[in-house]
Amino acid sequence: MAVTKHKTHSKMAKLSELIQTEEGYATSFDGTKIWYRSVGSGHPIVCCNGLGCSTFYFHYIENYFKRHYRVITFDYRGHGKSENPAKKENHTIESLVADLKCVFDALGVKKATLVGHSMGVQILFEFYSRYKQYCDALIPCFGTFAKPIDTFMDFPASKYVFEVIYHFNHTFPKIAKLLGRLMMKNPLWFQVGGALNVMKPYLVDKKIMEQYIDHIINVDPVFLSSLTKSLQHHDAEDSLKKITVPTLIMGAEDDNFTPLWVSKKMHHLIPRSELFIVKKGSHVALVEQPELINLRIEKFLEERLGKKSSPRRQKINQIVKKRITQAIKKNKK
């Protein structure tokens, strides 16, 4: 009887999720179609992807928070299921921010918590500077606020290497695409990524990383390099001091793409912000230690926005309080 009840509950949960799921296309300022997905109901959490990424890095966040929140993911122009922009002059950070705004409008979102990963951090800050009335909290994860190439892997010559890649991609686009495919389809890519400390092979879900590889080889390298150049010209440092909404900064101890000191500086610049450092985390810590990150985000939403905790979070709180009480009694003895 108990098994039947469990199966019925499971079916009802899946049916509820199906009813609360919405996918579609929003039209951006230049006519580019932007794909989006909304799952769950309640307070909106809008997720902004990294450069060359689709929504796979937010897989765990969507699955965890969709039970009590409305989780919205989308693809930027030139990425995933969204269209490629017709005009090259629209390969800019401003265009991506406009893509995000059109998703807000299409779904009727008036206020949301923004989560950004990697490049998504710059999108998040630029969106806030333009449309702060739509934001009630910011969660920048493993990204920077300005000129990402300057701090990339803490390598001083990174910007010069990028300039060479940029000009090569624009001069020989077909060759650039072929070389990109050969590099990313290397059968040893997973081992190489671990050796370079780009990710933690013993923590990360290989299937999600395979999704990343399959996605990025289909993104136009000319578009990517043009967009990267726009990001390199972007600097939100002055605007960080003016942020007034609750902000939770996620930094990773072993992030080679965005060094931890960048997250610490961000924390120093943003008034009343919180900094959470993921121990042994890399640039893709979102999919390496998802339970830790989800619980920290949930704690932040509970404490800073007054959002109700999930039953799982409440149970964890009870266990923690019980252990603290036991420790206090033991010390008194």
Side-chain angles (χ1 to χ4, degrees):
M1 186 67 181
V3 175
T4 305
K5 185 177 179 180
H6 174 74
K7 287 183 177 179
T8 302
H9 177 74
S10 178
K11 289 180 180 179
M12 289 298 292
K14 289 181 179 180
L15 180 60
S16 176
E17 180 184 331
L18 183 63
I19 293 171
Q20 296 173 340
T21 299
E22 180 181 352
E23 292 187 11
Y25 287 87
T27 303
S28 198
F29 70 99
D30 59 351
T32 304
K33 301 294 184 183
I34 305 300
W35 177 85
Y36 62 80
R37 170 182 165 90
S38 172
V39 183
S41 61
H43 177 68
I45 298 174
V46 180
C47 303
C48 303
N49 307 321
L51 179 68
C53 300
S54 185
T55 60
F56 32 78
Y57 283 132
F58 290 109
H59 168 74
Y60 293 107
I61 285 179
E62 181 184 83
N63 277 352
Y64 185 82
F65 286 98
K66 68 185 179 182
R67 291 171 288 182
H68 302 280
Y69 294 84
R70 182 185 188 188
V71 184
I72 298 168
T73 54
F74 71 105
D75 282 328
Y76 302 118
R77 58 187 51 224
H79 291 70
K81 298 177 183 178
S82 292
E83 289 183 345
N84 291 313
K87 298 180 180 180
K88 290 185 177 180
E89 56 264 32
N90 292 335
H91 297 180
T92 63
I93 186 171
E94 291 80 12
S95 298
L96 270 58
V97 169
D99 295 345
L100 174 55
K101 178 59 167 59
C102 81
V103 170
F104 266 71
D105 293 341
L107 290 170
V109 176
K110 300 301 180 184
K111 190 80 75 172
T113 294
L114 268 64
V115 183
H117 172 242
S118 192
M119 178 189 72
V121 171
Q122 288 181 266
I123 303 302
L124 174 154
F125 287 137
E126 187 61 26
F127 184 87
Y128 177 82
S129 69
R130 292 167 183 257
Y131 307 106
K132 62 182 66 177
Q133 69 273 22
Y134 286 87
C135 310
D136 60 11
L138 305 175
I139 306 178
C141 305
F142 321 113
T144 186
F145 51 87
K147 302 179 180 179
I149 302 300
D150 284 5
T151 57
F152 183 73
M153 300 186 81
D154 266 341
F155 181 50
S158 288
K159 56 185 176 181
Y160 304 111
V161 174
F162 168 71
E163 284 296 328
V164 172
I165 295 172
Y166 175 84
H167 289 295
F168 181 86
N169 286 351
H170 282 73
T171 306
F172 308 104
K174 291 183 178 179
I175 297 176
K177 192 166 188 176
L178 177 61
L179 289 175
R181 282 180 171 272
L182 290 174
M183 288 175 62
M184 301 306 288
K185 278 298 185 180
N186 183 330
L188 298 176
W189 65 267
F190 196 69
Q191 291 77 9
V192 172
L196 294 175
N197 208 24
V198 173
M199 60 183 175
K200 305 289 185 180
Y202 55 89
L203 290 175
V204 73
D205 184 343
K206 190 175 181 180
K207 290 181 180 179
I208 290 179
M209 299 311 297
E210 287 173 345
Q211 285 181 288
Y212 168 71
I213 297 296
D214 290 340
H215 175 266
I216 198 168
I217 61 175
N218 291 306
V219 179
D220 180 14
V222 174
F223 169 74
L224 277 182
S225 55
S226 296
L227 186 53
T228 304
K229 192 164 189 176
S230 176
L231 293 168
Q232 179 64 5
H233 290 154
H234 177 255
D235 191 337
E237 182 169 346
D238 290 339
S239 63
L240 297 190
K241 302 170 186 177
K242 301 174 185 177
I243 292 176
T244 58
V245 298
T247 303
L248 172 64
I249 301 160
M250 293 274 185
E253 190 176 50
D254 298 328
D255 188 344
N256 278 355
F257 279 27
T258 309
L260 182 57
W261 67 262
V262 176
S263 297
K264 291 181 177 179
K265 182 176 180 180
M266 198 185 303
H267 175 47
H268 175 74
L269 291 169
I270 301 175
R272 297 177 297 282
S273 62
E274 299 179 35
L275 173 62
F276 181 65
I277 300 173
V278 180
K279 301 294 183 181
K280 303 299 182 183
S282 77
H283 193 64
V284 296
L286 284 176
V287 293
E288 290 173 343
Q289 302 183 53
E291 291 187 352
L292 174 67
I293 290 172
N294 288 342
L295 288 172
R296 184 62 185 89
I297 291 175
E298 188 171 43
K299 181 175 182 288
F300 169 74
L301 295 175
E302 175 189 350
E303 294 178 348
R304 300 295 295 273
L305 294 184
K307 302 302 177 184
K308 187 177 180 181
S309 298
S310 70
R312 182 181 182 185
R313 174 68 194 173
Q314 292 172 6
K315 187 175 182 180
I316 290 173
N317 285 341
Q318 290 173 357
I319 294 172
V320 171
K321 288 178 182 177
K322 184 178 179 181
R323 288 181 179 177
I324 291 173
T325 302
Q326 290 173 344
I328 292 172
K329 289 181 179 179
K330 186 176 180 181
N331 287 335
K332 285 182 179 179
K333 292 179 180 179

